[in-house]
DNA sequence: TAAGTGATGCAT
DNA sequence: TGCATCACTTAA
């Protein structure tokens, strides 16, 4: 028995990967793997769309001050920041920058890789392109909810983590070009170019 | 294009 | 306490 779905050989990105500003980390995450494992089994996808939220960015949840909701953003890098929005949806972020500096990368879309049956179930049989093409959609497909807030993304035993793609450059070439645009759904700092995506992926949530 | 959904955070 | 806001999704 070499490897099976119960013992995947994922190699988590190290904590110092998340130490730089989210502006740098957001594009660097493209092509790596978001991995979720729970009682139902493992699920994973290629990260194809991200947005950076910065410490001195008025659209960042941590901009004003630390609160109960954004506490994880102020913690050490390489942990999850998961929040509930619009009464319906969760959004998943990777905390960046040193402890005390509230920065994070919102993962807006992944391209399904494994656990497709689970994603299909959780997304109620919708077409595959709609499973994970949006921040709320991917959280539903991977069953990412508030209890995962603060989870360690640098530990392969964690319920959610990010694994290194050893062929990330090759994959970026295949799914490129890498496009940088304005962020989606915000009302301030709307012109800042902090959204990044791989234009060749059909799972990108919105073009432009 | 707009309604739904409920936690959050700031103003009372 | 009250209420506007919200890093979204779906159905139309």
């Amino acid at each position: 028995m070499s490897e099976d779905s119960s013992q995947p050989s994922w190699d988590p990105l190290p904590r110092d990967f998340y130490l730089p500003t989210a502006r740098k980390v957001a594009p660097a995450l493209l092509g790596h793997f978001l991995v979720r494992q729970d009682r139902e089994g493992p699920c994973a996808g290629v990260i194809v769309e991200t947005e950076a939220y910065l410490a001195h960015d008025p659209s960042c949840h941590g901009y004003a001050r630390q609160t109960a909701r954004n506490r994880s953003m102020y913690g050490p890098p390489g942990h999850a920041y998961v929040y509930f929005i619009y009464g319906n949806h969760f959004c998943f972020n990777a905390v960046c920058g040193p402890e005390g500096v509230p920065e994070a990368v919102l993962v807006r879309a992944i391209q399904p890789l494994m656990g497709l049956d689970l994603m299909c179930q959780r997304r109620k049989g919708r077409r595959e392109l709609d499973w994970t093409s949006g921040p709320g959609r991917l959280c539903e497909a991977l069953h990412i909810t508030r209890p995962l807030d603060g989870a360690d993304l640098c530990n392969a035993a964690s319920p959610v983590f990010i694994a290194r793609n050893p062929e990330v450059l090759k994959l970026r070439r295949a799914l490129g070009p890498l496009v940088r645009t304005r962020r989606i759904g915000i009302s301030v700092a709307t012109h800042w170019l902090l959204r990044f995506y791989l234009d060749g992926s059909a799972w990108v949530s919105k073009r432009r």
Side-chain angles (χ1 to χ4, degrees), chain A residues 33-91:
Chain A
F33 304 130
L34 177 60
V35 184
R36 168 77 168 117
Q37 36 198 6
D38 67 5
R39 214 173 282 107
E40 298 190 284
C43 275
V46 179
I47 297 172
V48 295
E49 180 183 349
T50 58
E51 281 178 358
Y53 287 86
L54 310 178
H56 299 289
D57 166 6
S59 68
C60 177
H61 287 176
Y63 179 64
R65 62 189 182 86
Q66 185 176 333
T67 66
R69 177 176 71 158
N70 65 27
R71 188 170 54 91
S72 298
M73 283 190 106
Y74 281 81
H79 289 259
Y81 166 47
V82 178
Y83 64 89
F84 187 62
I85 190 79
Y86 292 116
N88 287 292
H89 310 289
F90 292 94
C91 290

Side-chain angles (χ1 to χ4, degrees), chain A residues 71-195:
Chain A
R71 188 170 54 91
S72 298
M73 283 190 106
Y74 281 81
H79 289 259
Y81 166 47
V82 178
Y83 64 89
F84 187 62
I85 190 79
Y86 292 116
N88 287 292
H89 310 289
F90 292 94
C91 290
F92 170 85
N93 298 250
V95 173
C96 297
E99 185 162 4
V101 177
E103 299 210 355
V105 173
L106 170 68
V107 177
R108 287 194 55 91
I110 63 174
Q111 183 164 318
L113 196 64
M114 75 178 286
L116 307 190
D117 48 340
L118 285 174
M119 297 192 202
C120 184
Q121 261 175 247
R122 293 166 179 156
R123 294 287 296 139
K124 305 182 177 88
R126 290 181 175 85
R127 54 184 251 237
E128 186 167 352
L129 280 175
D130 291 334
W131 290 352
T132 54
S133 50
R137 290 174 176 182
L138 75 89
C139 282
E140 184 167 70
L142 299 192
H143 192 231
I144 292 173
T145 56
R146 196 80 216 284
L148 293 191
D149 182 51
D152 187 358
L153 302 178
C154 306
N155 180 351
S158 183
V160 62
F161 65 97
I162 296 176
R164 176 187 303 282
N165 178 357
E167 307 206 290
V168 67
L169 295 180
K170 186 176 159 190
L171 190 145
R172 280 187 204 153
R173 273 196 302 275
L175 291 183
L178 198 163
V179 175
R180 183 170 60 134
T181 69
R182 291 138 97 111
R183 293 173 292 182
I184 305 289
I186 54 173
S187 54
V188 285
T190 54
H191 59 289
W192 296 10
L193 302 179
L194 292 175
R195 173 169 174 251

